[in-house]
């Protein structure tokens, strides 16, 4: 929370809410409508029309309603407040209250958070949600908590990632040799594409379209849903269905700020955000069924790949051994208990 809402609150003699005591929300709600007692900011990197943004806006609307206008969450989608790297700093300083971020990018602050991105770990969505709503997600949330942030229970889907290219189709790992591929800012991503022989370049999503357009990068990798919604097909020619990793967004809150909210506000926010996360997962699942045809119609050429060859290349390069060492035996055992043996 910013100083501004503290002052607003004090002016109304509601200072007990600021101190963290449970604020009698519904009692306040019976007063005539006026400005919200809690004005909070939620930011993300996804286009306004992406299910993530749509469902977050709906959650904010339901929260406003459930609190009789006392909790006003303003959504800043589409990198309006800066790149992921910028927004993570803003979240930590308390300049923004909530932020959805890929676990892999979060790993720049919370190293274990990239564990779900290990190459070819998940075979399907059932395995993903069982793990992320279960032991693996619980482990990562615990690690996030140790670093001053809160991760809400339900993760938001980004998707299984596919490689696109503007220069040549990627069918085999050898096609990646020296390939200038944009990857998000995360050691695991860089390591994985180096292991595959490519030349990864770390770029925040806010700069991806222009990096592809100006050919700073030849290619990138993202789920089909985002390739469509962010119109990356305009600046890419081929898409290779590698599904090389699954990526999702943690909805994060600044722990200091969030725990200073009254307990009933915290509960309403968590309930509505988690509900929206589940709806967003269903939206992406539905999109997955329809998006390929649309992308083809827009001129993107689909390339069948030899998936096991990519996994073997990672293994040969020592990728699994390296990341098992980095994550540690305990974390790796949790991952393998969810997805089966990896190395
Ligand atoms: O940066 C990306 O590519 C994106 C949008 O997929 C993530 O947030 C990881």
């Amino acid at each position: 929370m910013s100083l501004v809402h503290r002052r607003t609150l004090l002016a109304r003699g509601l200072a007990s809410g600021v101190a963290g005591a449970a604020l009698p929300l519904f009692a306040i709600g019976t007063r005539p409508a006026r400005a919200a007692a809690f004005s909070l900011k939620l930011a993300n990197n996804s286009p306004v029309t992406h299910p993530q943004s749509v469902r977050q806006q709906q959650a904010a609307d339901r929260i406003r309603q459930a609190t009789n206008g006392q909790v006003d969450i303003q959504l800043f989608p589409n990198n309006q407040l800066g790149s992921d790297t910028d927004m993570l700093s803003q979240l930590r300083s308390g300049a923004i209250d909530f932020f959805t971020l890929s676990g892999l990018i979060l790993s720049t602050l919370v190293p274990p958070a990239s564990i779900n991105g290990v190459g070819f770990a998940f075979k399907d969505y059932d395995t993903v949600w069982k793990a992320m709503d279960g032991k693996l997600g619980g482990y990562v949330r615990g690690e996030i908590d140790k670093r001053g942030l809160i991760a809400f229970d339900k993760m938001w889907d980004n998707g299984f990632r596919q490689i696109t290219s503007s220069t040549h189709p990627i069918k085999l790992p050898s096609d990646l040799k020296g390939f200038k591929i944009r990857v998000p800012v995360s050691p695991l991503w860089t390591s994985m594409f180096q292991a595959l022989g490519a030349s990864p370049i770390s770029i925040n999503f806010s700069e991806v379209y222009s990096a592809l357009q100006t050919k700073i990068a030849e290619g990138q990798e993202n789920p089909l849903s985002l390739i469509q919604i962010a119109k990356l097909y305009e600046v890419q020619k081929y898409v290779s269905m590698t599904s090389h990793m699954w990526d999702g967004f943690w909805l994060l809150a600044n722990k200091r700020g969030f725990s200073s909210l009254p307990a009933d506000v915290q509960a309403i926010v968590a309930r509505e955000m988690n509900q929206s996360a589940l709806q967003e997962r269903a939206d992406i699942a539905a999109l997955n069924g329809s998006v390929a045809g649309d992308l083809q119609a827009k001129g993107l050429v689909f390339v069948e790949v030899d998936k096991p060859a990519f996994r073997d290349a990672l293994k040969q390069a020592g990728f699994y051994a390296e990341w098992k060492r980095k994550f540690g035996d305990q974390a790796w055992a949790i991952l393998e208990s969810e997805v089966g043996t990896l190395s």
Side-chain angles (χ1 to χ4, degrees):
M1 287 202 306
S2 71
L3 272 180
V4 178
H5 13 101
R6 276 159 208 255
R7 272 194 221 112
T8 319
L9 210 62
L10 287 166
R12 289 196 201 118
L14 297 177
S16 62
V18 175
L23 188 67
L25 248 193
F26 300 102
I28 294 172
T30 60
R31 295 174 186 200
R34 28 184 171 179
F38 302 98
S39 297
L40 305 168
K41 290 183 181 155
L42 161 62
N44 75 40
N45 71 2
S46 300
V48 186
T49 53
H50 188 278
Q52 187 192 175
S53 301
V54 173
R55 295 298 185 180
Q56 287 178 350
Q57 184 58 56
Q58 290 174 356
D61 293 343
R62 290 195 306 271
I63 291 164
R64 197 175 300 108
Q65 206 170 27
T67 61
N68 290 309
Q70 292 302 299
V71 179
D72 179 46
I73 298 180
Q74 217 191 328
L75 175 65
F76 295 88
N78 205 22
N79 294 113
Q80 280 173 20
L81 298 183
S83 69
D84 277 330
T85 308
D86 299 328
M87 291 188 283
L88 181 58
S89 314
Q90 292 167 28
L91 179 77
R92 296 181 71 196
S93 74
I96 58 181
D97 304 279
F98 306 104
F99 169 41
T100 26
L101 181 63
S102 158
L104 277 83
I105 303 176
L106 177 60
S107 77
T108 55
L109 173 68
V110 184
S114 62
I115 193 156
N116 63 264
V118 167
F120 302 99
F122 295 100
K123 66 175 193 307
D124 56 26
Y125 268 111
D126 286 346
T127 317
V128 166
W129 297 129
K130 188 180 153 294
M132 301 321 291
D133 290 338
K135 268 187 302 189
L136 190 64
Y139 163 71
V140 173
R141 281 200 308 281
E143 296 296 316
I144 293 172
D145 188 75
K146 288 181 191 160
R147 285 150 178 104
L149 299 175
I150 289 172
F152 287 79
D153 284 350
K154 298 296 176 194
M155 211 175 181
W156 300 61
D157 192 16
N158 189 2
F160 282 93
R161 302 180 73 95
Q162 321 298 348
I163 299 173
T164 66
S165 160
S166 63
T167 48
H168 59 276
I170 308 294
K171 285 192 179 125
L172 295 165
S174 53
D175 297 321
L176 283 174
K177 198 165 170 24
F179 184 63
K180 285 190 290 170
I181 183 168
R182 171 273 171 171
V183 293
V185 181
S186 168
L188 184 105
W189 249 305
T190 305
S191 154
M192 188 165 150
F193 279 90
Q194 275 169 348
L196 290 169
S199 303
I201 319 164
S202 302
I203 299 176
N204 273 298
F205 191 65
S206 47
E207 309 290 334
V208 166
Y209 188 97
S210 63
L212 295 171
Q213 195 173 33
T214 57
K215 301 272 180 5
I216 287 172
E218 293 171 79
Q220 65 87 47
E221 41 82 67
N222 249 305
L224 290 185
S225 46
L226 204 52
I227 293 168
Q228 184 206 41
I229 294 169
K231 296 191 166 48
L232 301 184
Y233 56 82
E234 291 178 350
V235 285
Q236 296 285 273
K237 188 160 174 46
Y238 305 99
V239 60
S240 302
M241 298 299 288
T242 46
S243 294
H244 52 273
M245 69 161 76
W246 175 81
D247 175 43
F249 303 103
W250 289 109
L251 174 59
L252 304 167
N254 174 300
K255 204 198 297 191
R256 235 177 316 112
F258 191 68
S259 31
S260 76
L261 294 171
D264 48 1
V265 168
Q266 291 182 31
I268 291 169
V269 170
R271 184 188 74 206
E272 298 304 332
M273 287 295 174
N274 285 330
Q275 185 191 323
S276 268
L278 295 180
Q279 292 169 332
E280 187 260 6
R281 292 179 187 180
D283 295 340
I284 299 277
L287 262 181
N288 284 342
S290 62
V291 74
D294 188 57
L295 286 170
Q296 261 162 340
K298 291 193 156 92
L300 203 63
V301 177
F302 278 67
V303 181
E304 285 305 321
V305 298
D306 182 357
K307 253 169 81 169
F310 286 82
R311 189 172 176 153
D312 285 351
L314 284 182
K315 206 165 171 173
Q316 295 304 316
F319 173 83
Y320 293 102
E322 178 189 341
W323 284 90
K324 181 177 180 179
R325 203 167 51 244
K326 285 192 171 139
F327 287 122
D329 289 344
Q330 188 211 346
W332 199 260
I334 298 173
L335 176 63
E336 288 193 331
S337 77
E338 299 279 11
V339 304
T341 307
L342 280 169
S343 33

